[in-house]
Amino acid sequence: MKINILPAEALEIIMGACKTTDPVYLPILDSLGSLLAEDVVSDSDLPGFDKSPLDGYAVRSRDTRSASDESPVLLQKIGFLPAGHLTDKVIGKGETIRLMTGSKIPEGADVVIAFEKVELIDNRVKITRPYPAGTNIIKKGEDLKSGTRVFNRGMVLNPAEIGILAALGRCFIKVYRRPRVAILSTGDELLELQEPLEEGKVRNSNSYFIFSLAKRLGAEPCLLGICGDQVEAIKNQLKPALAWADLVITTGGVSVGDYDLVKDAFSELGAEMLLWRVKMKPGSPMAVARYRDKLLIGLSGNPAAAYITFELFVRPVLLRMMGRKDYKPVEVKSILQDGFPKVSKNDRLIRAKTVYREGRFITFLPEKHSSGTISTLSATNSLVQIVGGKGPYEAGEEVVAYLLHL
Ligand code: AMP
Ligand code: MG
């Protein structure tokens, strides 16, 4: 087990120990946020037929050749073709068919003229200018040709991709299974939400926080509830979950206090300890173990520390499990709008709000940023790196900000 290591080394160890989940087929509506485990190739042309982009009249280009204001051409209307319907009429010399947006272009026609560009006189359409062949026609396969590779394996399925899969008629799609995440909060002081608050106790907020973070990333989280500071109790809660989970996340009980028993519980369950304690603030008391191909990550109980270490270490793990190979947090240079007085030995990551204004990023720091404070996490959209040994930071200094949720 590595003890008290730099964050970069910790991340490398953790990433080295996590495995991408197996591919599964899902209905496309259940695949939002998942990564493709197959290349998607179009098996048909999109659209599948020449179609009209507007309401108008299908005509033959050559019939319009001599049309002008002085000498208009009159075409005989021989039918009406709504979208989704077919006609066996063929447009011959001097004829036209009225179409709706999305109608299939009838045989014989090579132009569609918008309704508002013509006049209808006694079932005859008056045309006052020539139209070249192909005007207002969406060609078969113009959007996508059959046989085109539409998406590559590893791509994230966002709403647009799901719409495109639907257009291709794909009901099911092969994606990496959502990682299953079991979440346990440990600490004798914890109460569940429905319990009345007692002196000396705190409500378990971490579980809900972590559940939501994992869910938003596309994982399948499960709450194991709360558990006191006893090795046996922690083991009993975790053991059945290990049969199900790809990742176990605990909070609390990983620092060097007398009641910090999560590490012991991991070991006694048969997991191999990989690391304990990381040189950073907050969240230094993190413990990571491996049990077969599953990971167990013990985060600090301090809510903000748990949140920040989740962003730094758990997010990349979950994305890797979901099939993402190349995740790196989005990093920008930003100008501090507030000072930060504390100087510490190790790097510190503090919550912040970073916005792009007048050509540059600027970062605001909340007043309260101790790792036990939860209230100011709400407006957080970034983490700012306070370099170990450097400082105090003044307003106007340039810092590195990691943009979250991207
Ligand atoms: P620990 O990591 O066990 O030393 O806990 C650090 C701090 O976080 C203590 O003040 C705990 O009361 C608090 N804490 C631990 N677990 C939770 C939780 N699930 N929800 C909210 N606060 C917690
Ligand atoms: Mg504790």
Side-chain angles (χ1 to χ4, degrees):
M1 173 172 58
K2 296 269 194 165
I3 299 179
N4 206 20
I5 55 177
L6 288 170
E9 192 187 351
L11 186 61
E12 202 179 307
I13 293 173
I14 299 173
M15 296 306 276
C18 79
K19 198 176 149 266
T20 300
T21 58
D22 294 327
V24 287
Y25 276 95
L26 289 185
I28 57 169
L29 281 181
D30 295 332
S31 71
L32 182 63
S34 291
L35 271 83
L36 275 173
E38 61 172 321
D39 295 329
V40 174
V41 176
S42 161
D43 65 355
S44 52
D45 285 332
L46 263 191
F49 53 91
D50 289 356
K51 73 175 187 180
S52 174
L54 39 80
D55 297 337
Y57 290 93
V59 307
R60 301 171 353 140
S61 151
R62 67 189 113 139
D63 288 352
T64 67
R65 217 174 279 156
S66 66
S68 65
D69 285 326
E70 300 72 43
S71 152
V73 166
L74 290 170
L75 300 176
Q76 184 64 36
K77 189 178 132 200
I78 59 164
F80 170 56
L81 182 59
H85 294 261
L86 296 176
T87 180
D88 48 17
K89 286 186 182 146
V90 178
I91 297 182
K93 191 170 172 356
E95 293 176 340
T96 179
I97 287 181
R98 187 179 149 162
L99 302 181
M100 304 303 287
T101 303
S103 298
K104 182 171 192 258
I105 306 296
E107 226 180 292
D110 56 3
V111 167
V112 176
I113 307 177
F115 276 153
E116 56 275 20
K117 297 276 160 65
V118 298
E119 231 180 289
L120 187 65
I121 308 159
D122 295 335
N123 225 28
R124 290 195 307 167
V125 176
K126 181 178 156 191
I127 292 160
T128 55
R129 51 155 280 202
Y131 291 88
T135 305
N136 292 329
I137 291 193
I138 302 172
K139 297 298 283 177
K140 175 178 192 295
E142 178 179 306
D143 195 349
L144 265 183
K145 287 249 177 318
S146 175
T148 311
R149 184 189 294 208
V150 188
F151 303 134
N152 291 323
R153 171 199 287 254
M155 196 170 159
V156 183
L157 293 174
N158 285 315
E161 284 71 37
I162 291 177
I164 295 165
L165 290 172
L168 293 171
R170 292 291 304 263
C171 300
F172 296 90
I173 188 76
K174 196 170 166 190
V175 293
Y176 296 102
R177 178 175 58 70
R178 294 181 188 284
R180 298 191 279 248
V181 184
I183 299 159
L184 176 69
S185 286
T186 71
D188 282 346
E189 73 279 35
L190 299 181
L191 289 176
E192 261 316 343
L193 314 191
Q194 58 279 11
E195 296 179 271
L197 202 52
E198 292 167 29
E199 194 73 22
K201 304 273 186 183
V202 297
R203 290 199 185 95
N204 166 26
S205 55
N206 286 349
S207 292
Y208 297 86
F209 216 150
I210 289 170
F211 184 101
S212 308
L213 286 165
K215 180 141 187 164
R216 184 170 58 186
L217 281 178
E220 188 186 338
C222 163
L223 290 190
L224 303 179
I226 55 177
C227 170
D229 288 308
Q230 301 94 34
V231 178
E232 278 309 308
I234 299 170
K235 276 165 62 187
N236 287 341
Q237 298 262 52
L238 292 185
K239 201 167 180 183
L242 274 176
W244 172 82
D246 300 298
L247 172 64
V248 169
I249 302 176
T250 64
T251 69
V254 275
S255 61
V256 283
D258 289 346
Y259 290 96
D260 292 325
L261 308 163
V262 163
K263 272 192 341 292
D264 297 344
F266 285 178
S267 294
E268 288 182 27
L269 281 167
E272 173 202 357
M273 288 305 303
L274 299 179
L275 67 95
W276 180 44
R277 289 168 59 205
V278 180
K279 286 184 180 155
M280 63 169 282
K281 270 174 177 281
S284 54
M286 181 173 72
V288 180
R290 172 167 49 193
Y291 178 82
R292 299 188 181 143
D293 55 0
K294 300 154 189 292
L295 268 183
L296 296 93
I297 303 185
L299 302 178
S300 161
N302 276 314
Y307 174 76
I308 291 169
T309 38
F310 183 101
E311 287 295 341
L312 294 182
F313 300 105
V314 183
R315 168 189 282 263
V317 162
L318 284 177
L319 292 174
R320 171 68 62 87
M321 287 179 167
M322 290 170 68
R324 185 121 163 225
K325 300 271 184 286
D326 56 351
Y327 171 74
K328 285 256 177 318
V330 177
E331 185 183 316
V332 295
K333 294 213 160 81
S334 187
I335 308 297
L336 275 183
Q337 303 300 296
D338 306 286
F340 185 76
K342 283 190 213 161
V343 182
S344 53
K345 203 164 115 228
N346 295 324
D347 278 9
R348 189 189 279 271
L349 281 154
I350 53 174
R351 74 199 79 173
K353 186 174 173 190
T354 299
V355 293
Y356 191 69
R357 214 171 269 170
E358 290 164 7
R360 57 186 196 158
F361 285 97
I362 55 173
T363 293
F364 301 90
L365 301 181
E367 245 170 67
K368 300 178 209 163
H369 39 64
S370 96
S371 57
T373 317
I374 195 168
S375 56
T376 50
L377 281 174
S378 165
T380 295
N381 69 357
S382 51
L383 298 176
V384 162
Q385 187 173 26
I386 299 294
V387 177
K390 207 178 150 207
Y393 280 76
E394 310 274 344
E397 277 193 59
E398 189 180 80
V399 286
V400 170
Y402 298 96
L403 305 184
L404 301 172
H405 326 310
L406 294 176

